[in-house]
Amino acid sequence: TPIEKQLGDILDNMLVVAVKKRYQSAGEVLRDLQPAVELRSAVGYDYTKLRDLLANQKWKAADEETAKAMFTVAGRDDFLRVEDIDHFPEDLRTIDRLWLKFSNGKFGFSVQKEIYQKLGGTMTFDPEKIWRKFGDTVGWRDNRRWLNKWKDYDELNWRRPLRDNTPGGHLPGLVRDLRNWMELKRYMALLSRRDL
């Protein structure tokens, strides 16, 4: 019986003689069974690098490439304004779908948005209440009683977030300074978009 090329490639990879060249987990098989993400961009940005970094679980490099892509698409150098986020094109969905696909639905802006909204978050939110709860939920805060502080960007779980007990929504972690009100306001604008 003829089968699709994608399914044939997956079956071949499951049966490779060299064990190290086979899939190493069911998650890898499930990831490849998902349909490919169309790398669509309203401004012609090439998302191949982001796709490849995520496919190879290079999480920090993928996060940095995500930031670069967003700055480029918005025509900005180093930060996004709330109005840039409000007018961000369809590229946001492409970025989100790539994160979702290669994290098996664990990471992405839409995952973060769902968490944020379940906590009661909107564009007009109480930073002491909702943002801290959000940080605790996605693992951006070290809320042990004696620390109770925001993590630095480099302290996020970049090494093995799919294998460790890293909470859903932990990545992307585009906010470089989790204590900076303006950065938080921009991120909340992102999580308040209707099209995610």
Side-chain angles (χ1 to χ4, degrees):
T1 304
I3 59 171
E4 254 182 60
K5 182 181 178 346
Q6 179 191 14
L7 181 56
D9 291 344
I10 291 169
L11 291 171
D12 289 344
N13 197 4
M14 293 172 84
L15 301 172
V16 171
V17 175
V19 174
K20 288 189 176 189
K21 291 186 178 182
R22 289 184 201 162
Y23 288 110
Q24 298 300 303
S25 70
E28 290 178 358
V29 176
L30 290 172
R31 179 195 66 220
D32 286 352
L33 282 171
Q34 295 175 7
V37 174
E38 271 190 74
L39 303 182
R40 298 174 63 175
S41 173
V43 298
Y45 191 86
D46 182 3
Y47 288 100
T48 305
K49 182 176 180 182
L50 177 58
R51 180 199 62 205
D52 294 346
L53 288 168
L54 288 167
N56 290 300
Q57 298 186 1
K58 306 287 186 193
W59 303 109
K60 190 170 186 183
D63 195 70
E64 291 164 356
E65 177 62 21
T66 298
K68 177 185 168 199
M70 292 181 74
F71 296 148
T72 302
V73 168
R76 304 290 295 167
D77 290 329
D78 56 0
F79 73 93
L80 298 175
R81 301 167 300 181
V82 170
E83 55 266 30
D84 297 324
I85 293 165
D86 288 342
H87 302 298
F88 208 84
E90 68 180 336
D91 294 55
L92 192 58
R93 282 188 295 269
T94 300
I95 293 167
D96 184 52
R97 287 178 182 143
L98 285 167
W99 276 93
L100 287 169
K101 175 180 172 75
F102 293 106
S103 69
N104 300 320
K106 187 172 183 176
F107 305 133
F109 296 131
S110 58
V111 176
Q112 292 173 342
K113 176 183 177 176
E114 185 178 331
I115 292 166
Y116 178 63
Q117 288 181 337
K118 280 183 181 175
L119 294 171
T122 64
M123 266 305 287
T124 55
F125 68 102
D126 176 357
E128 292 301 314
K129 185 178 178 186
I130 305 299
W131 184 244
R132 279 182 188 240
K133 281 185 184 177
F134 179 79
D136 290 340
T137 303
V138 300
W140 289 359
R141 286 177 39 84
D142 190 338
N143 58 4
R144 290 176 287 181
R145 177 174 255 190
W146 55 278
L147 281 176
N148 197 25
K149 71 173 187 86
W150 289 96
K151 292 180 179 178
D152 291 328
Y153 180 75
D154 289 332
E155 292 178 299
L156 300 182
N157 187 358
W158 302 112
R159 293 193 63 207
R160 300 174 359 155
L162 292 182
R163 294 184 197 157
D164 296 344
N165 289 328
T166 305
H170 187 69
L171 300 174
L174 295 176
V175 181
R176 298 299 189 262
D177 181 0
L178 295 162
R179 293 165 289 270
N180 181 312
W181 171 246
M182 286 310 295
E183 279 202 59
L184 301 183
K185 191 172 179 180
R186 289 188 289 269
Y187 211 76
M188 293 306 100
L190 177 68
L191 299 184
S192 297
R193 284 185 56 125
R194 290 184 183 158
D195 59 349
L196 270 178

